[in-house]
């Protein structure tokens, strides 16, 4: 199975900050990577697919980059509603696997 | 509007069985692959199983293989997960998720909680 490793696992930030979350795959997955946002008690929400394509309706302050094994999710200007946990997921092969999550907390 | 509504969760004893359902609406259900994803309390997301639009292709996580069975009824716009030989480590919120044409999971249900405990 492809292992997805996210870093950091959590961090604190302030509104207006630019934040970057990293996801590394244990083997190459081309651009078959998605990012999800999850708030407490809610279902995950798709933010980005194909590593860098913004899902319809997602604010443009979210962006994704990378291919192969190294990927990043960037929030250009953190808003209050962005405090949540973020997961990467590979869909290059089965079993589909998620990263362990990155919790973005308010500083 | 796409809607996915899970049901069937509850409290079950170790070794017991449970059948989850996911009712889909707002899209052509028979055209999409579907998935189950679970989340243990306070933990991350774990993919459980996938089924293709016509049920031709089915995949399972190793952790549930041989115990869980995914199925669908396109006439009823419904997805199912039959869970047998349940263990304490199967305790989780179970989500159904639609697989988009790009293979990411673009719509998720609200989840149903399964608790395995004596």
């Amino acid at each position: 199975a492809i292992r997805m490793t996210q870093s950091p696992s959590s961090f604190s930030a302030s509104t207006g900050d630019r934040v970057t979350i990293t996801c590394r795959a244990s083997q190459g997955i081309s651009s078959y990577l998605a990012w999800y946002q999850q708030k407490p008690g809610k279902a995950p929400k798709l933010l980005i697919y194909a590593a860098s394509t913004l899902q319809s309706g997602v604010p443009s302050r979210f962006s994704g980059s990378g291919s192969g094994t190294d990927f990043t999710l960037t929030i250009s200007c953190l808003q209050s509603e962005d405090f949540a946990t973020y997961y990467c997921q590979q869909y290059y092969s089965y079993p589909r696997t998620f990263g362990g999550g990155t919790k973005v907390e308010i500083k | 509007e796409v809607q996915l509504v899970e049901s069937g969760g509850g409290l079950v004893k170790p070794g017991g069985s449970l059948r989850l359902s996911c009712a889909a609406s707002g899209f052509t259900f028979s055209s999409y692959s579907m998935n189950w994803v679970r989340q243990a309390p306070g933990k991350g997301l774990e993919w459980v199983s996938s089924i293709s639009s016509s049920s031709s292709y089915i995949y399972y996580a190793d952790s549930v293989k041989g115990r869980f069975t995914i199925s669908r009824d396109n006439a009823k716009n419904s997805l199912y997960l039959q869970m047998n030989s349940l263990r304490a480590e199967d305790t989780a919120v179970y989500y159904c998720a639609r697989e988009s044409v790009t293979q990411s999971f673009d719509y998720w249900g609200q989840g149903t909680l399964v608790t395995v405990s004596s």
Side-chain angles (χ1 to χ4, degrees):
Chain A
I2 298 174
R3 180 178 175 85
M4 306 301 292
T5 303
Q6 284 182 238
S7 61
S9 55
S10 67
F11 67 95
S12 298
S14 302
T15 55
D17 285 353
R18 178 183 179 91
V19 303
T20 298
I21 297 168
T22 297
C23 177
R24 174 164 288 176
S26 60
Q27 65 186 76
I29 59 169
S30 186
S31 296
Y32 293 96
L33 184 103
W35 289 97
Y36 301 88
Q37 177 194 66
Q38 187 180 34
K39 296 181 179 179
K42 299 295 187 181
K45 172 188 174 183
L46 177 64
L47 298 176
I48 286 170
Y49 62 92
S52 61
T53 303
L54 207 62
Q55 173 70 349
S56 175
V58 174
S60 58
R61 62 181 180 273
F62 290 92
S63 64
S65 65
S67 67
T69 59
D70 294 311
F71 303 86
T72 59
L73 171 70
T74 299
I75 310 172
S76 61
C77 183
L78 201 63
Q79 301 298 300
S80 57
E81 60 265 33
D82 301 337
F83 291 98
T85 301
Y86 295 85
Y87 295 91
C88 62
Q89 180 222 0
Q90 66 81 19
Y91 48 95
Y92 178 81
S93 67
Y94 289 96
R96 305 306 200 210
T97 46
F98 290 87
T102 297
K103 186 174 184 179
V104 180
E105 298 175 297
I106 300 173
K107 184 181 286 185
Chain B
E1 180 195 3
V2 172
Q3 280 200 315
L4 298 169
V5 180
E6 301 94 337
S7 60
L11 176 63
V12 61
K13 290 181 169 54
S17 299
L18 213 53
R19 189 196 197 205
L20 306 184
S21 299
C22 172
S25 61
F27 66 102
T28 305
F29 180 72
S30 60
S31 296
Y32 290 85
S33 295
M34 297 294 295
N35 293 264
W36 288 99
V37 177
R38 68 183 181 183
Q39 186 169 37
K43 303 298 185 182
L45 301 170
E46 180 189 15
W47 171 80
V48 173
S49 183
S50 293
I51 186 168
S52 63
S53 57
S54 59
S55 304
S56 297
Y57 300 97
I58 288 175
Y59 304 92
Y60 296 100
D62 285 347
S63 57
V64 306
K65 200 173 294 182
R67 300 187 299 122
F68 290 11
T69 302
I70 191 172
S71 63
R72 63 191 295 161
D73 185 335
N74 286 342
K76 294 184 177 179
N77 292 337
S78 293
L79 174 72
Y80 305 102
L81 187 67
Q82 177 67 43
M83 304 186 296
N84 298 331
S85 303
L86 283 161
R87 306 166 180 168
E89 54 264 36
D90 296 318
T91 294
V93 173
Y94 284 74
Y95 297 100
C96 66
R98 190 181 84 165
E99 187 167 317
S100 73
V101 294
T102 63
Q103 298 183 280
S104 55
F105 299 170
D106 61 349
Y107 286 94
W108 298 61
Q110 85 289 349
T112 187
L113 176 62
V114 172
T115 303
V116 184
S117 175
S118 54

